[in-house]
Amino acid sequence: MPRNKSLGLDLTEGSVVRQMVLYALPMMLATALQQVYSLVDTIVVGQMLGSAGLSSVAVASQLIGFMTFLCIGFSGGAQIIISQYTGAKRFDELRSIIGNTFLVHAISALFFTLIGIVFCRPLLNLLNAPPEAFEGAVDYLIISSIGLIFVYGYNCICAILRGMGDSSRPLVFIVISSIINIVLDILFVGPLKMGAAGAALATIISQAVAFAVAIAYLYQRREAFHFDFKLKSFLPVKDVLGKICRQGLPQAIQMAAINVSIMFIHANVNSFGVAASAAFSVGSKIEHIPSIATQGFSNAVAAMVGQNFAAGKFDRIRKTTNVALVVSVVVLSIAAAVYLLFPETMFRLFTQDESVIALAATVLACMTIAYPANAMMNSYRGVVLGVGNAGLNLVLGIFDGVVLRVGLAYLLGTVLEMGLPGFIIGYSAAAYGMGVPCMIYYLSGAWKRRKSLVGKG
């Protein structure tokens, strides 16, 4: 398999399908492990702490998710820049890009750590955290906020590696993190009876270990990594910071907009009581299970498009997109069938609370409405990101996250008085605001006229 001069695969050469599978498979396994320890976390909390515990973790996780997705936005922007420089074989210019990527992530992590600690109670009040779950949510939010530096650092390193074509090494880091997280989760929440705080502590310890291992690996391979870890390499460079912000900030804003809208949905769902809050939390976990397969291919699209766009290989971009679309349609169709036929069975994996299980069919039926749109996003949005069209991604993200998600949820849930199902349908149907325009953009061929990020200031 062709390899570039850095750590990963050269995605501009060889069989498209084989390259995509080799790149996507470690990411699929990584996503699977992330889903497993997320599911174990939910199962342990649900079985040992009940609906109040589930609600505590769910509400606080929305705020942590908001802070984390901003990090993922910057990571995604950096990954696209690095993938295009890698595709153009401009390895000598990666040092300043990598150093400034670390700098942006470190500053952002410290900022949100302070926000999470200082404003934890007002933020949870904004989300209408149920009284039974409030103190547990406070503990979870504060502890998780302290660990944000590890989350940001880990995502930063993974973005750099994946941009270079290395998707296998992040899998190793996630294996380590997942094993530690599952063991500590059971220990802290179970025998040590630390409640929601124990679940949060297990997560940040596991992430800290993964980050430490990742840094050690990169330092040992710093020559291939094109980064020397010297202090001067972390100093801000105006042109490089401009590139990272132009690509990363729109993705971060888009992620923030979507997460604000999800918090709006959660706040309204929470108003229906602790059972509804727990059911929405469980349903969200179940709904994301198919991403074990689809997310790996979706991320592969962005990385492969980035390298091949810089190399001018448009045929490989089209083949890459088609493979991801087929995989997404097949996987999501199977998942939807299982969820619609056996909703209560799925819910019983997480809780024995009959008031929560009674909502299973409604919640999953409403959530699977988004699956056709998700199939479009898993393939076509990768083209938008890979060619560096951050502006379009931002506009569509705000349209999806604010205009549609909030607007539809309010219309269906409040104006039309559909209640809980209305809010969840609005939450799900908004995905078409991203999926359909991305499909149109790809089919129009407008992406071919974009200029590469390589060489631009």
Side-chain angles (χ1 to χ4, degrees):
M1 183 59 57
R3 286 188 175 268
N4 57 42
K5 293 180 180 179
S6 63
L7 295 175
L9 296 170
D10 181 350
L11 302 175
T12 65
E13 302 291 342
S15 164
V16 169
V17 174
R18 187 182 178 200
Q19 285 274 49
M20 195 171 187
V21 170
L22 286 175
Y23 186 91
L25 188 57
M27 299 191 73
M28 289 166 60
L29 294 174
T31 303
L33 285 170
Q34 287 176 316
Q35 290 286 344
V36 166
Y37 82 64
S38 177
L39 291 173
V40 168
D41 184 63
T42 304
I43 291 171
V44 170
V45 170
Q47 299 291 354
M48 296 185 179
L49 302 180
S51 298
L54 276 174
S55 183
S56 294
V57 173
V59 175
S61 292
Q62 285 304 305
L63 292 168
I64 293 298
F66 172 76
M67 300 173 189
T68 303
F69 277 122
L70 286 171
C71 147
I72 293 173
F74 277 113
S75 297
Q79 178 178 321
I80 297 306
I81 296 169
I82 291 168
S83 69
Q84 289 204 15
Y85 272 84
T86 301
K89 309 297 187 289
R90 299 275 287 273
F91 305 116
D92 56 326
E93 299 173 57
L94 287 175
R95 182 179 61 83
S96 61
I97 295 173
I98 292 170
N100 279 254
T101 298
F102 275 118
L103 180 64
V104 169
H105 280 74
I107 293 172
S108 301
L110 293 174
F111 173 77
F112 283 108
T113 294
L114 290 175
I115 294 294
I117 293 172
V118 175
F119 298 103
C120 60
R121 291 181 179 275
L123 289 171
L124 290 169
N125 279 323
L126 283 176
L127 291 182
N128 293 326
E132 312 95 304
F134 194 88
E135 291 305 319
V138 169
D139 293 341
Y140 192 94
L141 179 57
I142 290 175
I143 293 171
S144 296
S145 295
I146 294 171
L148 280 176
I149 189 67
F150 306 122
V151 178
Y152 271 63
Y154 168 75
N155 278 281
C156 175
I157 293 171
C158 288
I160 294 166
L161 287 170
R162 287 166 179 162
M164 291 179 176
D166 184 355
S167 61
S168 60
R169 198 59 54 180
L171 171 62
V172 176
F173 306 147
I174 289 177
V175 169
I176 295 171
S177 177
S178 299
I179 293 173
I180 294 173
N181 190 89
I182 291 172
V183 172
L184 293 182
D185 217 7
I186 295 171
L187 176 64
F188 290 167
V189 179
L192 297 183
K193 301 187 182 303
M194 295 174 65
L201 187 60
T203 299
I204 70 165
I205 290 175
S206 65
Q207 290 166 340
V209 173
F211 175 63
V213 173
I215 283 290
Y217 168 75
L218 294 180
Y219 185 79
Q220 291 175 351
R221 299 291 305 278
R222 55 190 178 277
E223 184 177 345
F225 186 49
H226 306 288
F227 190 67
D228 54 17
F229 283 91
K230 294 180 180 178
L231 181 60
K232 64 180 180 180
S233 299
F234 293 97
L235 296 176
V237 178
K238 182 179 179 181
D239 290 344
V240 175
L241 282 176
K243 254 178 203 175
I244 293 172
C245 289
R246 282 195 295 274
Q247 287 300 308
L249 197 56
Q251 288 199 51
I253 293 173
Q254 180 236 347
M255 292 283 187
I258 291 175
N259 276 271
V260 166
S261 70
I262 292 175
M263 285 190 284
F264 169 82
I265 306 297
H266 260 279
N268 282 278
V269 168
N270 291 341
S271 68
F272 290 95
V274 69
S277 176
F280 188 73
S281 172
V282 171
S284 297
K285 298 287 185 184
I286 294 172
E287 181 218 358
H288 283 99
I289 291 176
S291 66
I292 291 172
T294 60
Q295 193 61 48
F297 280 88
S298 177
N299 290 332
V301 172
M304 292 186 73
V305 168
Q307 287 197 22
N308 285 288
F309 183 71
K313 299 185 176 183
F314 294 165
D315 284 343
R316 291 180 65 83
I317 292 176
R318 284 189 286 268
K319 291 177 182 177
T320 296
T321 307
N322 291 336
V323 171
L325 180 63
V326 170
V327 171
S328 294
V329 169
V330 171
V331 171
L332 292 173
S333 296
I334 294 172
V338 172
Y339 297 164
L340 294 175
L341 291 173
F342 310 105
E344 293 187 0
T345 302
M346 298 300 299
F347 262 56
R348 288 187 189 280
L349 294 173
F350 300 87
T351 180
Q352 300 303 314
D353 189 327
E354 292 299 328
S355 63
V356 177
I357 294 171
L359 296 170
T362 298
V363 170
L364 290 181
C366 293
M367 286 185 169
T368 52
I369 290 173
Y371 278 6
N374 290 344
M376 297 179 209
M377 283 193 286
N378 287 332
S379 51
Y380 301 126
R381 184 168 174 260
V383 177
V384 175
L385 294 174
V387 301
N389 197 338
L392 177 60
N393 186 57
L394 173 61
V395 171
L396 295 181
I398 293 176
F399 182 62
D400 168 5
V402 179
V403 178
L404 284 183
R405 202 174 298 266
V406 172
L408 284 175
Y410 180 77
L411 173 65
L412 298 176
T414 302
V415 177
L416 298 181
E417 299 181 347
M418 292 176 62
L420 179 63
F423 283 107
I424 301 177
I425 291 172
Y427 160 85
S428 302
Y432 290 90
M434 174 70 76
V436 173
C438 284
M439 179 182 68
I440 293 172
Y441 177 74
Y442 170 76
L443 295 177
S444 72
W447 54 274
K448 299 176 187 176
R449 298 187 288 275
R450 294 281 304 177
K451 291 183 179 180
S452 169
L453 298 173
V454 178
K456 292 173 65 178

